[in-house]
């Protein structure tokens, strides 16, 4: 029986399987929680059973508070919001 991907929940077949952090992932689903950069067994850093890239590994001291995963998410949301707001209306 094939395991399910920890990211997308779909079945992972042997050819695309990454076994890491006690879970199974599609190669394409094994990416940084923050920037979505695709990772591999050598480049990932695990934190709380989630993969991170070198620069977003949470235990690292951030140069700016704005770089935390939560703040990044909020910033992306507000950017989407402002893009939406600045759309020119039908004229
Ligand atoms: Zn997946
Ligand atoms: Zn990252």
């Amino acid at each position: 029986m094939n395991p399910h991907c920890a990211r997308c929940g779909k079945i992972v077949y042997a050819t695309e399987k990454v076994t890491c952090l006690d879970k199974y992932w599609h190669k394409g689903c094994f990416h940084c929680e923050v920037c979505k950069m695709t990772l591999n067994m050598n480049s990932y850093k695990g934190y709380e059973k989630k993969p991170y890239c070198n620069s977003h590994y949470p235990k690292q001291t951030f140069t700016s508070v704005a770089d935390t995963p939560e703040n990044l998410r909020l910033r992306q949301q507000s950017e989407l919001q402002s893009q939406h707001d600045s759309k020119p209306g039908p004229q």
Side-chain angles (χ1 to χ4, degrees):
M1 203 177 110
N2 291 301
H4 292 260
C5 173
R7 175 81 61 195
C8 69
K10 293 178 186 165
I11 289 172
V12 185
Y13 296 99
T15 50
E16 53 185 355
K17 186 167 72 177
V18 177
T19 309
C20 233
L21 307 166
D22 300 331
K23 296 176 182 178
Y24 301 98
W25 314 76
H26 293 112
K27 277 176 191 166
C29 288
F30 192 65
H31 51 60
C32 170
E33 287 289 314
V34 181
C35 68
K36 314 297 184 203
M37 183 177 84
T38 305
L39 303 168
N40 60 45
M41 297 292 281
N42 297 320
S43 64
Y44 89 100
K45 290 190 178 291
Y47 180 77
E48 293 184 340
K49 300 284 172 76
K50 289 174 184 170
Y52 290 88
C53 73
N54 220 348
S55 43
H56 293 122
Y57 181 53
K59 278 193 175 174
Q60 171 176 342
T61 305
F62 291 105
T63 49
S64 159
V65 186
D67 282 342
T68 63
E70 178 63 11
N71 281 334
L72 194 68
R73 194 176 62 82
L74 290 172
R75 195 166 64 201
Q76 281 169 347
Q77 272 181 354
S78 62
E79 274 170 15
L80 285 174
Q81 195 73 43
S82 59
Q83 276 169 16
H84 182 76
D85 289 346
S86 63
K87 264 183 193 162
Q91 283 172 3

